[in-house]
Each structure stands twice: as C-alpha cells, then as structure tokens.
Amino acid sequence: MLASNRLRLVAYTPVVVIALGIVLRPLLYASFHAGAFSVGDLAIAMGFGVIYDALVGILAATPLTFLLATLRLRVLERPSARFALFASIAAAAVFSAFTEWFFFEEFNSRFNNIAIDYIRSPKEVVGNIKESYQIGIFVASAAAAGIVFAIAGLRATRGITLAPITFRERLKRGASVLLVTVLAGMALEILPSEASNDRIVSEVAQNGLDRLVHAVRTGSLEYSVYYRMLPIDLARRRAASVLGAPWISGREAAAPAVPGFPPSTPRPWNVVVILEESFGSEFVGVLGHADRKTTPGFDRWSREGVLLTNLTATGNRTVRGLEGTLCSLVPLPGAAVSKRLKHDEVATLAGVFKRDGYATAFVYGGWGRFDDMKPFFPINGYGEFIERDAYPRDAFSTIWGVADEWIFTKTLERQKQAAERGERLFMTVLTVSNHRPYRVPERGTSWPARDQNREAAVAYADWALADYLDRAKAAGLLEHTIVLVEGDHGARVYGAEEIPTPSYRIPGLFLVPDAAWRGRRIDRLASQIDLGPTLLALMGRPTPAPFLGQSLIGLPPDGGRAFVHHDRDVGLLTDHALVTLGLQREDTCYTRSGRDSDVLVRAPSCASSPELQTLEDDAAAVYQTADALLRSGEYKLSADGRLVARAGLP
C-alpha cells in the first residue's frame, strides 16, 4: 500500500501529458496535414505520440518522483496540498499545449531552434504575444483545465497515506528513480526522430517538450523544411559550379594546379592561424580608417604579406568565424558545426595537417566550454587544447580569459618547443581581449586602457598581435612559418538589411616565408571559407574535398562572392548583389554599385531581374547541398583527402 499510494501520485504527470497529447494530435493533424486525410497516418502519429508522451511524462515527473521515493512528504496527505500541486502541473501543461498550437500554426513544426531564439529574447517575445493573442483568455482556460485535472487527480488519490520510509528503502527507491530516468532518456534518444516520410505526420507525433530540449542540445534547424529548395541533382550541379568543386556533382577532377608551384613541391612550413576577437575592418587604418589610429601594428605588418582588402566574415559570432576558417564550410541556418556536431568528426584544416604528420594545437585564453570548442576541436584534428588553466593564475584576465599578450606568449613558447623537437606544427590561436568589458592592461597605446572602451581594447589587441609577430620574427620563427591573421567577425552588427553585410567586413593577412609574396594585395571579394584553401595554395597544396572554399591565388579582382549568416537568414554576397534566404522560403534581394560599396538597395523581388533570380538559385543550391553533406555525415576527409562515402549524398 505504501508503494501504491506514492505511485498514484507519481503517475499524475505522465497521465496528464498523455491525455493532452491524445487531444492535441488529432487537432494538429486535421488542421495542418498535407493532402487527403489519412486514418493510417493519424494512427501512426497517435501511436508514436503516446510513447513519446509517456517517456517525457516520466522525465518531467522525476523531481516529484525522487522526493516521494526518498522523503515521507506527509503534507501531500492533505487534499488541499494535492489539489494545488495537481492544478499547477496541469495548468502549465495545458498552457504549453496552447503555445505549441500557435507555434505549429506559424512554423508548421513542433518547438525547434526558433523557439530557443524566442526564449533568449523575452522582452520582444512577451510584447509580441500580448499584441497578437488574447493571452488572458488562454491563461484563464489553462487554469480552468488545471482545476478539472486536479479534481480528477484528487478522486484518484482519495484517502492516501504516506507511511514513514526506512533509510534502506530510501536508498533503494532513489536509485530506482534515477535508473528509470536514465532509461527513459535513453529510450527517447533511440526512438526514430521521423515517425513517417510525411514531415507533418512526424511533427504531429513528436512531443513539444522533447523537441524543445532537443533544439537546445543540438541546435538543429532543418534546412529542407524552412528554406528555398531546388531539385537535388540540379542543386548539386549548380553548387559544384558556384563553388568550383566538381566532386559535388559526382565528377572526378585532377588535383587543381596551384599557381606558382610545381605539383610536387608543397612547402613544409609551420602554420599559425590567428583569429582576433571582434576585429572589424572599421578599425583598421590600412583598410581606409587611418583616422581611427587603433591598428598601427597591423598596418605595419600588412606591408610584409598578402593583405585581403575585401574579406567578409561568415557571421557575427566567434563560432561562425572558427567554422568558416577551419572547416571551410558555409554558415548553415541554426547552430554552427561545433554546436550541432559536438562529438562527430568533420573536415578541418587541423585534420589535413595532422594527416600529414604535423603536431596540432589550439590556443585559447578562456575555457574551452565556450561555443562548445571543447570537445569538438580535440576530436577534429587538434592534439592539444590549451585553455585557461594553462596560464599563470596571476595573469591579467577578464571573465573571457587571460589578456592577449599571455595567449601570444603561450603560442610563442609552443612554437619554440616545436623547433627544438624538430616537429612541424599547425596552431590555431583565438584571442579574447577585444570584448566587453574592454578591460585590458596598460601598454602605452594611443588609447589609455583606463578608458575601458572599444577603441582601447582594439588598440591593445593590435599591440599584443604586433608584439607577438615582432618576437616571433626576432626568434627566427617566421622564416619557416606561414601566419594567417584575421578578425573572427566584426565588432558589432548594424544596418537595415536582412543580413547587414557592411558590418561583416574584416581584415585578413597572410605572412608568407617566401619574400615573393611580400607587399601583395588581393582586392577580390572573399569569404572566410576561402581562407583555408588560400593558405594551402600558398604552401603549394591543393584544396581537398569536401572544403567548400576556393583559393584566392591567381583569381581576378572581379567575380568574388561571400557566404553570410545572420539570425535565421543565410545569404550570398557578390560584387553587385546580395540575396538572403529566409525562413518559410521568404527570400530578399539587394543590389549595389560594386564590391567596395556598403550601400545596398532592396529590390522589389528576387524575380525582378534574371541576374537576381540566378543568384537566388545559386545561393539555394550551395546551402542545400552543404546541409545535405553535413547531415549525411559526408563532410569528412578520407586518407587521400577525397570525399567520404560520396554515393550516400542525398
């Protein structure tokens, strides 16, 4: 009797969840299904749905279940206490069902990453809800339904008593609860995410809370559901043409010749890739902003290498810069690759060099948990991951990590160690100082550190970068090391466009041991996904599949393109236009006078000119194909650098 009384209390939450699912699913299917009404499809949705709801109900009830298993909770013998508990649980579940209905009505889906974005913007979301819905009616309805469920719960638990529990019983039952919770979670993981080939049927079958948790964990946003699509074969052919990657369309191609190098003479240089936090072109003197006086160090060193004057970041977050540079992958909607594939292998620059016998290291001043860099990078080519605990405890630091000069000192130490060992080394360095709260050490720049503003942080970051390069040169390390310096993204997002590309301009600089490359400029519009292939070309190496970028070496100034991302939009920028692909296949096109112009004029529609319509199709083809490669697990390097399991590309 002791156990059965507690089980009756525990069963309340799963029963409520299942009951609401039994009501909600037929309504969702009847309202949003495509084609003719199918009793069989509805039965599939209901069958899978009951299983999903039961498992989610078990997980949702875990806190109460654990308390009942380990404590007496005699207060629940009182009907008033049980009523309050039951009513609150049911009211919350009913209100969630209302929310799911309206979400499904707008996005044709259960909760996904869009819902996560809503949660992250509570002020705007609450305001929108107040203006769009009669929120009071739904709150009152949920409360009323909660009362009805609570009355039923009281009847089902009438006369219960909660006897004392021995210590031994508490341990045994507590362990049982944890075991059941783990098993329920594992069952949700192994259940198929698609109950049917019909997407609407699968969405109806799902449980909203489970989908919300899944969105938080995976950052998954299905491109095919929300964005412009082309026939698969056509998309692959167009993507292959736009990207200069014939393997995408199933055609073999000889390794491309690298301008300036015979095929058999790759340079065995060491490599350092430096991503400078929030280092936008708007601060860089040599890129047309000499009046700001914030980057004298970069300006000086820009004369020593190959300067990119029209480099565009793939996004406005560090994780996007890492993805574009190190994976040569276009920025897909939803989460970046390190967030969506935390434990899976993908193609990276580090993987290319590790395959060729290089030691590989990632150097960061903060903790690797930021942006899920760790464990992603250690399983994707990096043998070492240096983070906050590798630096002196008294190093100058903020919440983001140690100041840049300590990061560069650690980088220099690792380079010298490699030289002593006679090992070839590939390193990636991510700085942190140019970030709010803009607190940096006083180092005699033209902007006093005590000002604690963006300019002071940029000036310090520039000083630390130049100081590192000066020290590396004095140590003789640059004689056999190619260095890439770039901004991970711009300082801030501004502009009225769907994707405000003027704020995406960043500096890029290759410092090459070969003096023939000194003082060069590349004015072609370029994307961060092109940096890896260009670095490889400067070393006399071809671009391996499945990298989507292209080497900029030897290309004309005109005809460039950049791939960009903002919020839920992705886009393709060219010298004269920008197309953005939005949710629900709502695309927007802009025109501009040339690659140096930041003035984008919105077109009436993408169909207003053949050029814009072609660009729209090109963008859709690239993003659709890249999404298919990543989701199918094919964005990997094989031993010879070719695409893995090409035949499986959907």
Side-chain angles (χ1 to χ4, degrees):
M1 178 63 71
L2 179 149
S4 63
N5 283 341
R6 284 177 160 76
L7 286 175
R8 280 191 283 167
L9 291 172
V10 166
Y12 179 79
T13 300
V15 168
V16 168
V17 173
I18 292 171
L20 288 175
I22 290 173
V23 174
L24 181 61
R25 283 192 179 83
L27 294 176
L28 289 175
Y29 180 77
S31 301
F32 305 113
H33 76 278
F37 188 97
S38 169
V39 174
D41 284 345
L42 179 57
I44 290 172
M46 296 298 290
F48 274 92
V50 169
I51 298 172
Y52 283 122
D53 288 346
L55 293 171
V56 170
I58 290 171
L59 292 173
T62 295
L64 176 61
T65 306
F66 189 80
L67 291 174
L68 284 167
T70 57
L71 301 175
R72 185 174 183 182
L73 289 185
R74 194 172 183 180
V75 65
L76 292 180
E77 292 179 350
R78 303 175 188 171
S80 59
R82 295 202 305 281
F83 180 85
L85 176 66
F86 291 159
S88 60
I89 291 173
V94 172
F95 189 79
S96 176
F98 286 145
T99 305
E100 284 191 61
W101 170 273
F102 291 116
F103 190 90
F104 210 110
E105 184 181 45
E106 184 171 357
F107 297 105
N108 232 223
S109 171
R110 293 281 190 170
F111 293 140
N112 56 23
N113 283 72
I114 301 170
I116 302 302
D117 279 355
Y118 281 2
I119 293 171
R120 291 170 179 166
S121 304
K123 183 177 180 180
E124 292 81 359
V125 172
V126 170
N128 178 64
I129 291 174
K130 286 181 178 179
E131 293 179 2
S132 303
Y133 305 104
Q134 298 293 326
I135 189 72
I137 293 177
F138 295 109
V139 170
S141 299
I147 291 173
V148 173
F149 273 106
I151 291 172
L154 283 179
R155 290 181 177 177
T157 58
R158 182 180 300 160
I160 68 165
T161 57
L162 301 176
I165 313 173
T166 65
F167 181 75
R168 185 175 180 179
E169 282 295 313
R170 292 181 185 187
L171 290 177
K172 186 168 73 172
R173 293 180 180 183
S176 298
V177 170
L178 295 178
L179 177 62
V180 170
T181 299
V182 169
L183 291 175
M186 292 174 61
L188 278 176
E189 285 292 317
I190 64 175
L191 279 174
S193 58
E194 304 296 332
S196 166
N197 291 329
D198 186 319
R199 190 188 66 82
I200 296 297
V201 175
S202 293
E203 292 290 342
V204 169
Q206 294 287 353
N207 175 280
L209 182 59
D210 174 53
R211 290 293 88 191
L212 186 63
V213 172
H214 177 76
V216 172
R217 288 177 52 247
T218 66
S220 177
L221 182 64
E222 293 186 38
Y223 181 89
S224 61
V225 173
Y226 296 107
Y227 296 86
R228 180 178 177 82
M229 294 283 289
L230 300 178
I232 293 173
D233 289 341
L234 175 60
R236 291 172 61 180
R237 289 196 300 272
R238 291 189 80 111
S241 176
V242 173
L243 297 168
W247 57 265
I248 291 177
S249 60
R251 291 183 288 115
E252 296 291 343
V258 180
F261 292 94
S264 61
T265 59
R267 301 297 180 90
W269 294 329
N270 295 326
V271 183
V272 178
V273 176
I274 301 171
L275 289 96
E276 288 278 325
E277 171 65 39
S278 302
F279 199 42
S281 293
E282 65 198 82
F283 297 104
V284 181
V286 73
L287 295 179
H289 303 281
D291 56 311
R292 303 200 71 157
K293 296 180 171 57
T294 45
T295 61
F298 183 89
D299 294 348
R300 170 168 58 86
W301 272 98
S302 70
R303 297 189 289 269
E304 302 297 317
V306 183
L307 177 67
L308 308 184
T309 62
N310 266 295
L311 179 60
T312 300
T314 53
N316 48 34
R317 293 292 182 268
T318 297
V319 69
R320 289 297 185 180
L322 291 168
E323 171 189 69
T325 302
L326 302 177
C327 301
S328 194
L329 178 68
V330 297
L332 293 167
V337 65
S338 66
K339 289 178 174 289
R340 68 169 71 191
L341 297 176
K342 299 177 186 179
H343 304 284
D344 295 333
E345 292 185 13
V346 297
T348 65
L349 268 178
V352 172
F353 286 101
K354 184 177 182 179
R355 183 189 61 194
D356 290 345
Y358 279 65
T360 55
F362 194 105
V363 183
Y364 180 52
W367 293 103
R369 60 177 177 265
F370 176 66
D371 272 342
D372 296 304
M373 291 185 290
K374 191 178 182 182
F376 177 79
F377 285 118
I379 65 171
N380 281 289
Y382 288 91
E384 301 172 61
F385 193 98
I386 298 171
E387 53 185 332
R388 180 62 181 88
D389 58 0
Y391 301 91
R393 303 187 72 176
D394 60 350
F396 188 100
S397 64
T398 68
I399 188 64
W400 295 106
V402 300
D404 288 0
E405 61 191 91
W406 276 268
I407 297 174
F408 284 125
T409 295
K410 183 66 67 175
T411 301
L412 204 59
E413 289 174 357
R414 184 63 185 87
Q415 288 178 269
K416 291 178 179 179
Q417 185 182 71
E420 293 170 358
R421 294 174 179 174
E423 65 183 1
R424 291 185 296 173
L425 178 65
F426 172 84
M427 298 185 74
T428 298
V429 182
L430 177 60
T431 70
V432 303
S433 290
N434 185 19
H435 198 295
R436 200 177 294 275
Y438 309 133
R439 190 166 60 85
V440 296
E442 188 69 66
R443 289 293 180 263
T445 69
S446 59
W447 296 87
R450 63 178 178 275
D451 289 353
Q452 207 163 316
N453 55 29
R454 170 72 76 179
E455 284 74 14
V458 173
Y460 168 75
D462 175 75
W463 172 87
L465 171 65
D467 177 68
Y468 158 71
L469 292 173
D470 291 340
R471 287 189 287 162
K473 181 179 180 180
L477 295 172
L478 297 189
E479 296 173 5
H480 49 78
T481 301
I482 183 170
V483 180
L484 165 60
V485 181
E486 61 167 308
D488 64 343
H489 55 76
R492 62 186 181 91
V493 177
Y494 55 86
E497 301 83 13
E498 297 295 323
I499 304 180
T501 53
S503 66
Y504 282 43
R505 291 181 181 270
I506 55 173
L509 175 65
F510 290 96
L511 299 172
V512 187
D514 188 341
W517 296 101
R518 188 169 298 153
R520 300 281 193 94
R521 290 169 64 100
I522 294 178
D523 296 323
R524 183 181 176 90
L525 175 63
S527 172
Q528 275 179 310
I529 74 168
D530 301 322
L531 294 175
T534 303
L535 183 149
L536 291 170
L538 287 168
M539 299 180 70
R541 295 164 172 262
T543 300
F547 284 1
L548 301 183
Q550 63 180 161
S551 167
L552 303 171
I553 305 303
L555 296 181
D558 298 329
R561 81 287 177 274
F563 299 94
V564 289
H565 166 276
H566 178 62
D567 196 19
R568 294 300 166 185
D569 295 328
V570 292
L572 175 57
L573 177 69
T574 67
D575 290 348
H576 298 287
L578 165 69
V579 59
T580 67
L581 309 179
L583 285 169
Q584 311 299 352
R585 298 172 175 81
E586 294 181 358
D587 302 342
T588 307
C589 285
Y590 302 84
T591 60
R592 63 176 180 168
S593 60
R595 65 172 178 269
D596 296 322
S597 174
D598 287 339
V599 179
L600 291 159
V601 179
R602 185 164 181 160
S605 72
C606 291
S608 60
S609 76
E611 293 79 13
L612 291 178
Q613 199 158 23
T614 296
L615 187 64
E616 182 185 25
D617 287 342
D618 285 346
V622 170
Y623 285 105
Q624 173 183 339
T625 303
D627 179 78
L629 285 169
L630 200 60
R631 288 184 180 276
S632 63
E634 295 180 81
Y635 204 80
K636 297 178 181 179
L637 291 168
S638 64
D640 61 359
R642 297 181 182 275
L643 182 65
V644 172
R646 182 181 305 152
L649 180 64

